[in-house]
Amino acid sequence: MTSQRIRKAVFPVAGLGTRFLPATKTVPKEMLPIIDRPLIQYAVDEAIEAGCDTLVFITNRYKHAVADYFDKAYELEQKLERAGKTEQLELVRHVLPPGVRAIFVTQAEALGLGHAVLCAKEVIGNEPFAVLLPDDLIWNRGAGALKQMADAAQASGASMIAVQNVPHEATGSYGIVATEAFDGRQGRIKAIVEKPKPEVAPSNLAVVGRYVLSPRIFGLLEATRPGAGGEIQLTDAIAALLAEQPVHAYRFQGTRFDCGTHIGLIEATIRYALDHEKLSDPARDMMQRALGELGVKDQD
Ligand code: UTP
């Protein structure tokens, strides 16, 4: 992979989001909010911070909400303008900054994450690109996780996969990598497997939803047959990429919340509230009260 700047980011958001049913009957998982912004907005901001100006959303035909969210909201803007609500108007206008374009590609059938990424092939062309899974929310006071990875990819020319250590018994929920010794935050990946049982997992280093990938991945995805769960797995195409090009595991700086699970979404909400300028104190008070009340109940 050549050391090019990463300009394009892919957001696969065509999954069914079954873990959040019944809410996800009508609200896509990526539109669930942390405080006042949907998950997709956090991922988009992270991609823009990393230097991306072309955002490719892989949606399904039922997910109008994501496209609507990034579209101009004429009527709402007019109403806010007339009501003199300038602060709110700015918030609505700046979901995407000027100079950033959003492209929507439909994944006709939910055939898996690998298939969703392959749907972006024509838009990406022959350049390295980023993939962000919005339900992995990564919080950091300094540079965002994707910016850290894009800089590292540009410096080394290798593809980058975000990783973090998970409890050994949790390997069955993740792609798991085996690497050479780490040099700083990076270690070259020797093997990658999708959702291995703990007894056969090569490590407890798990893939989380940030990738910087060589465009070679598209050819490999085209040759990938359905794997774990009958889906076309991105992990399987990355396994094939390892044989041809360097792919590094990247231990990003930041805290990741798995907002694809109930407890992860709750944890993220609490952490963002505690870090929020206006909400921090009332949230702390509310939590203390709630815990106190539970404590009283437990003694009954
Ligand atoms: P998940 O494994 O989290 O699946 O997909 P899901 O359907 O979103 O959620 P659950 O498990 O049913 O609750 C990982 C990512 O890949 C995308 C999803 O939108 C999510 O961002 N994806 C998955 C697609 O875009 N297309 C697919 O065919 C499958």
Side-chain angles (χ1 to χ4, degrees):
M1 193 170 94
T2 50
S3 302
Q4 269 173 273
R5 195 166 83 81
I6 311 301
R7 293 188 314 113
K8 296 178 180 170
V10 177
F11 302 85
V13 294
L16 301 177
T18 53
R19 283 172 288 179
F20 279 97
L21 283 169
T24 44
K25 262 178 91 180
T26 54
V27 182
K29 178 170 70 170
E30 300 74 24
M31 294 304 296
L32 297 175
I34 302 293
I35 317 289
D36 51 7
R37 300 191 311 153
L39 285 170
I40 190 78
Q41 180 79 60
Y42 291 91
V44 157
D45 289 350
E46 190 182 322
I48 293 170
E49 185 219 359
C52 296
D53 59 13
T54 302
L55 313 179
V56 188
F57 299 91
I58 312 299
T59 62
N60 66 39
R61 75 186 81 100
Y62 307 107
K63 285 202 178 173
H64 302 293
V66 178
D68 289 349
Y69 178 77
F70 289 106
D71 206 354
K72 198 169 162 60
Y74 290 101
E75 271 186 40
L76 177 61
E77 288 187 19
Q78 264 180 5
K79 279 185 190 153
L80 291 172
E81 206 164 3
R82 276 196 215 118
K85 301 202 169 199
T86 43
E87 205 181 307
Q88 289 86 343
L89 184 62
E90 285 310 295
L91 288 174
V92 169
R93 277 194 179 145
H94 285 99
V95 292
L96 282 184
V100 172
R101 64 182 181 142
I103 296 172
F104 295 86
V105 178
T106 304
Q107 184 189 24
E109 253 186 292
L111 297 178
L113 176 59
H115 181 261
V117 171
L118 183 55
C119 292
K121 181 183 170 199
E122 308 305 326
V123 183
I124 301 296
N126 193 28
E127 57 182 286
F129 64 102
V131 176
L132 298 95
L133 305 188
D135 48 0
D136 271 336
L137 177 56
I138 303 180
W139 180 84
N140 193 31
R141 282 195 202 280
L146 188 68
K147 166 105 176 86
Q148 300 169 39
M149 292 168 68
D151 288 350
Q154 203 177 348
S156 71
S159 293
M160 294 284 156
I161 315 279
V163 295
Q164 72 172 180
N165 289 95
V166 295
H168 204 69
E169 59 278 11
T171 57
S173 303
Y174 294 92
I176 298 288
V177 298
T179 66
E180 291 174 3
F182 269 68
D183 179 8
R185 296 196 169 274
Q186 295 175 59
R188 185 168 176 159
I189 300 180
K190 291 190 292 189
I192 183 166
V193 273
E194 185 63 21
K195 301 189 170 71
K197 292 203 173 91
E199 50 282 17
V200 292
S203 75
N204 67 340
L205 254 194
V207 174
V208 306
R210 300 292 183 276
Y211 310 76
V212 175
L213 295 172
S214 150
R216 174 69 188 120
I217 200 78
F218 294 122
L220 297 168
L221 279 169
E222 278 166 340
T224 300
R225 303 274 61 92
E231 297 194 332
I232 296 180
Q233 297 287 352
L234 182 58
T235 300
D236 293 342
I238 292 172
L241 185 64
L242 300 179
E244 297 184 10
Q245 298 181 2
V247 181
H248 292 184
Y250 190 92
R251 272 201 178 106
F252 57 90
Q253 191 180 46
T255 308
R256 169 228 174 213
F257 302 101
D258 181 0
C259 295
T261 67
H262 297 160
I263 199 70
L265 192 75
I266 294 169
E267 189 185 4
T269 302
I270 292 173
R271 292 287 287 272
Y272 276 75
L274 290 175
D275 197 54
H276 191 282
E277 207 192 342
K278 292 187 186 142
L279 294 175
S280 173
D281 287 342
R284 214 172 282 269
D285 289 349
M286 177 272 290
M287 276 183 254
Q288 266 158 2
R289 265 199 320 277
L291 289 171
E293 281 164 23
L294 280 184
V296 170
K297 261 197 206 128
D298 285 349
Q299 284 162 17
D300 284 345

